[in-house]
Amino acid sequence: MVANRGEIAIRVFRACTELGIRTVAVYSEQDTGQMHRQKADEAYLIGKGLPPVAAYLDIPDIIKVAKENDVDAIHPGYGFLSERSDFAQACVDAGVRFIGPSPDVVRKMGDKVEARSIAICAGVPVVPGTDGPITCLSEAQEFSNTYGFPIIFKAAYGGGGRGMRVVKEYEELEENYQRAYSEALAAFGNGALFVEKFIERPRHIEVQILGDKYGNVIHLYERDCSIQRRHQKVVEIAPAVQLDPHLRDRLTADSVNLARQVGYENAGTVEFLVDKHGRHYFIEVNSRLQVEHTVTEQVTDVDLVHAQLRVCEGRSLPELGLKQDKIRINGFAIQCRVTTEDPARGFQPDTGRLEVFRSGEGMGIRLDSASAFQGAIISPHYDSLLVKVIASGKDLPAAAAKMNRALAEFRVRGVKVGSFIMAHCAALLKGMQQGNAPTSYDCPTPPHTYLSCISFCKPPPT
């Protein structure tokens, strides 16, 4: 069973089918006509009478459906319950395998404060921050008095940019504290926040890890996720461009050491910030499959979902041919997220029926989607992601050229997909085609300032 919806559910179903495993979908009342329901061998309604998102957070109902239909294992996808230790524990208690780390590791990694403490114990550098979740505004004021501005509020029990607010001066502190708390509470059911010193214009580099039940841990190199909007990733690249080899070695070694410190099993991602001086700082561990896992698959030729399933079955990484000295990077891959958002309205999600949909395809292009077809209904209830476009090439300029061409081929009518986003990608990809690497980037609004924030670090002279 995949306790999720949309493109990630379909991604897992396809992997299961390739391995001869029967699949089970769950869906909310609002998702009756969604494609992920059609792609599974069986499908069952959950959360009857509940709001759209709450249906996918209804642990008792999901477990009930799993037990009634002899489900052997549950894949949580990303978002929803994927980093909830109580869900992982509920699966174990029901005799159903959870495709991910143990409940205890999910709990430790899901608590950003505890994960930070574990990183310190493993000798991994961290950004200055509070030792635990703060309980009131005065604690944030005390932290800012000690470390100065800018600072950043982060949700203690979730990610994806929700519950995250940057504060640049004292006058903004109270308003951003309240907003971050409300966002975290709405998204994760817990408004707990912690505070960190905000590193300005860093690179956001994350390392893909994979562990098994026997203590083996490997990395599959890194991804550069520096191009973001509202702290949410928009474009991801593997491997990171112009990354110092010594820094790469430190990032991957720290990631593997941290995973071994907690006995990590299955797939996960260790995230870092890299400042302008080349110093790296641990941010968090995402104890699940990432949206951007695709670019790692493209450059390493490792099917991460296959690996997740086999590890859950009890296979060791060496049995699967996954040894560190066998993992090689071949070329570059870029992922762009095409979303149903309207730039003219501050990138608010748009909804409706897709009257026309023609995608960019061809050699070197991979499309992961669930609702990207003519006649599809774009719901207001869930994430605005329409399709993930992944371009692969022998080097970054080749991958960028393919991405630029593919995005230019898209034709979407009926909902807004942000022609401005396409313009932004064209400018960004043109820079990549010239051999430049993007540095830190967070797209602001209003749209007329969108392109002005793209910056590149020039390649070293050859």
Side-chain angles (χ1 to χ4, degrees), residues 20-218:
I21 300 169
R22 285 185 59 81
T23 54
V24 176
V26 291
Y27 61 94
S28 68
E29 290 178 311
Q30 294 78 12
D31 270 351
T32 300
Q34 286 297 305
M35 185 60 72
H36 79 277
R37 181 187 174 189
Q38 317 301 326
K39 292 288 186 179
D41 296 308
E42 305 171 32
Y44 301 98
L45 176 68
I46 55 169
K48 188 173 183 180
L50 291 177
V53 173
Y56 290 101
L57 299 175
D58 190 347
I59 295 175
D61 205 18
I62 292 171
I63 296 296
K64 177 174 175 285
V65 169
K67 292 178 72 174
E68 287 178 350
N69 295 283
D70 298 322
V71 165
D72 300 296
I74 295 180
H75 194 298
Y78 55 71
F80 293 126
L81 296 169
S82 62
E83 294 181 272
R84 289 270 298 270
S85 60
D86 56 340
F87 180 54
Q89 188 62 56
C91 292
V92 173
D93 293 344
V96 177
R97 297 186 191 188
F98 178 78
I99 301 176
S102 69
D104 185 54
V105 171
V106 175
R107 180 189 62 77
K108 288 176 178 176
M109 296 297 97
D111 181 342
K112 289 186 174 58
V113 176
E114 185 165 357
R116 174 190 171 86
S117 298
I118 293 169
I120 293 170
C121 291
V124 180
V126 299
V127 180
T130 53
D131 293 330
I134 61 175
T135 56
C136 59
L137 178 63
S138 62
E139 292 183 60
Q141 292 169 333
E142 183 179 340
F143 181 87
S144 64
N145 290 337
T146 302
Y147 293 99
F149 292 96
I151 63 172
I152 184 167
F153 290 114
K154 290 184 176 180
Y157 298 102
R162 294 172 177 84
M164 190 179 289
R165 291 276 170 171
V166 177
V167 185
K168 296 187 176 179
E169 53 189 34
Y170 188 84
E171 289 72 22
E172 302 173 356
L173 191 63
E174 183 173 0
E175 178 186 358
N176 280 285
Y177 171 80
Q178 297 296 342
R179 287 189 175 186
Y181 177 86
S182 298
E183 287 175 8
L185 183 64
F188 311 114
N190 189 325
L193 305 172
F194 70 100
V195 189
E196 284 183 349
K197 179 69 178 172
F198 181 63
I199 307 297
E200 297 191 89
R201 299 193 67 78
R203 292 181 76 177
H204 185 135
I205 308 292
E206 61 186 32
V207 176
Q208 178 69 54
I209 57 170
L210 194 60
D212 63 21
K213 299 177 185 292
Y214 311 102
N216 300 301
V217 180
I218 63 169

Side-chain angles (χ1 to χ4, degrees), residues 54 85 107 137 155 227 300 318 365 383 398 414 458:
S85 60
R107 180 189 62 77
L137 178 63
I227 305 162
T300 63
I365 297 298
D383 188 86
K458 296 294 181 184

Side-chain angles (χ1 to χ4, degrees), residues 213-255:
K213 299 177 185 292
Y214 311 102
N216 300 301
V217 180
I218 63 169
H219 68 79
L220 289 89
Y221 293 93
E222 80 287 343
R223 301 183 282 260
D224 190 328
C225 306
S226 302
I227 305 162
Q228 303 183 9
R229 180 169 52 80
R230 297 172 186 155
H231 306 294
Q232 291 189 302
K233 300 160 189 172
V234 179
V235 179
E236 297 98 353
I237 307 165
V241 189
Q242 297 163 24
L243 190 68
D244 180 86
H246 298 296
L247 176 57
R248 172 175 286 124
D249 290 343
R250 293 197 299 272
L251 289 167
T252 53
D254 281 347
S255 299

